[in-house]
Amino acid sequence: MKLVKLIANLGYGSRKQVALMFREGRITDAAGEVLYADDAVEHADVRVDGEPLDPPQGLLLLLHKPVGYTCSTKDPGRVVYDLLPPRFRLRNPILSTVGRLDRDTSGLLLMTDDGALLHRITSPKAMLPKIYDAVLDQDLRGDEAATFASGTLMLESEKTPLAPAGLEILEPRRARVTLVEGRYHQIRRMFAAVGNHVHSLHRHRLGGLDLDGLAPGGWRLLGDADRAKLFDTTL
């Protein structure tokens, strides 16, 4: 792929804008030598304004999503892409969220431009556990764990029961829930089905990955070791 197209696909600008960046000498190699649009250079050796290029297609990113942001590119309010460098929103292929956390849910969110990887993570066959902490409006009765684990709980407007889910009571109004599926607003609807209401919800783990101290709004790119850890459910 020609350098102009490569850099444009990574969201740094249109092809016309990237061509201008070449003319301005803003694109160099690792040694600082100015590159030209027809140069053949390894991806890792290209610099834009002195900074290495973002990873090529196949990027996987972990974001600590704060409350108040939606997993959308079109929402008129705040969206998770606002937390990333602007060029990430313009990548081609598009950088998509791996599943969704609703506006009022915080925590671990993955994003990728690799459709096959996205499908592998979200496929029901993956059985990747998703672990959430929920703060509730009312004290837990004590029978909710058995109900969630039964595999018979039905949600309103659903035609099939939920897969068994784990529930650990941490405090009278705080619980940890482990899911292996991801239906629309599932945890909120599960607690509604047992007569309670979720006040706040936070996902702190997906598969073998956790936030590892990442502050709200923070993000990091994931490498091969992280990817292996994601699918290691024995952790």
Side-chain angles (χ1 to χ4, degrees):
M1 184 183 298
K2 291 185 176 180
L3 276 178
V4 170
K5 183 177 180 181
L6 169 66
I7 295 170
N9 283 354
L10 294 177
Y12 287 87
S14 67
R15 293 195 194 186
K16 183 176 181 180
Q17 290 169 329
V18 173
L20 178 60
M21 293 166 67
F22 274 103
R23 292 197 296 271
E24 293 174 339
R26 294 172 57 193
I27 300 175
T28 65
D29 63 15
E33 293 294 323
V34 172
L35 293 175
Y36 297 91
D38 56 354
D39 284 340
V41 186
E42 292 293 327
H43 187 110
D45 290 333
V46 180
R47 301 290 183 269
V48 175
D49 295 330
E51 296 295 327
L53 280 185
D54 293 329
Q57 182 180 357
L59 175 149
L60 182 63
L61 177 151
L62 185 153
L63 171 70
H64 185 163
K65 176 193 168 301
V67 169
Y69 289 80
T70 58
C71 298
S72 170
T73 58
K74 299 179 180 178
D75 191 278
R78 295 181 296 177
V79 297
V80 292
Y81 296 91
D82 295 337
L83 301 166
L84 305 174
R87 63 184 181 273
F88 278 47
R89 193 171 186 167
L90 303 174
R91 287 175 67 102
N92 180 24
I94 189 171
L95 184 66
S96 301
T97 61
V98 181
R100 294 191 172 202
L101 296 178
D102 64 53
R103 183 191 300 272
D104 297 321
T105 299
S106 62
L108 191 157
L109 180 70
L110 296 180
M111 304 179 73
T112 186
D113 60 0
D114 185 332
L117 178 60
L118 189 153
H119 177 73
R120 182 185 175 197
I121 297 170
T122 58
S123 170
K125 295 180 181 179
M127 297 290 286
L128 289 181
K130 297 176 280 287
I131 304 178
Y132 298 78
D133 283 354
V135 177
L136 307 165
D137 281 352
Q138 302 175 39
D139 287 358
L140 291 152
R141 299 190 304 258
D143 61 348
E144 294 89 353
T147 300
F148 287 6
S150 67
T152 62
L153 181 63
M154 295 288 295
L155 299 180
E156 185 178 355
S157 77
E158 298 277 354
K159 296 182 179 180
T160 56
L162 296 175
L167 183 143
E168 177 186 359
I169 297 176
L170 305 175
E171 296 174 4
R173 297 191 180 187
R174 183 167 167 259
R176 180 159 294 163
V177 182
T178 302
L179 305 180
V180 292
E181 58 183 347
R183 303 195 196 184
Y184 179 72
H185 288 178
Q186 182 171 340
I187 292 179
R188 298 180 189 278
R189 295 165 69 202
M190 288 169 69
F191 279 108
V194 295
N196 213 326
H197 176 77
V198 174
H199 176 71
S200 65
L201 189 62
H202 176 80
R203 180 162 74 188
H204 65 86
R205 194 173 189 90
L206 173 59
L209 290 177
D210 58 33
L211 290 167
D212 194 25
L214 193 65
W219 59 276
R220 67 182 182 92
L221 297 175
L222 301 183
D224 291 341
D226 297 303
R227 293 174 189 236
K229 190 175 180 181
L230 168 63
F231 291 100
D232 185 356
T233 58
T234 64
L235 296 174

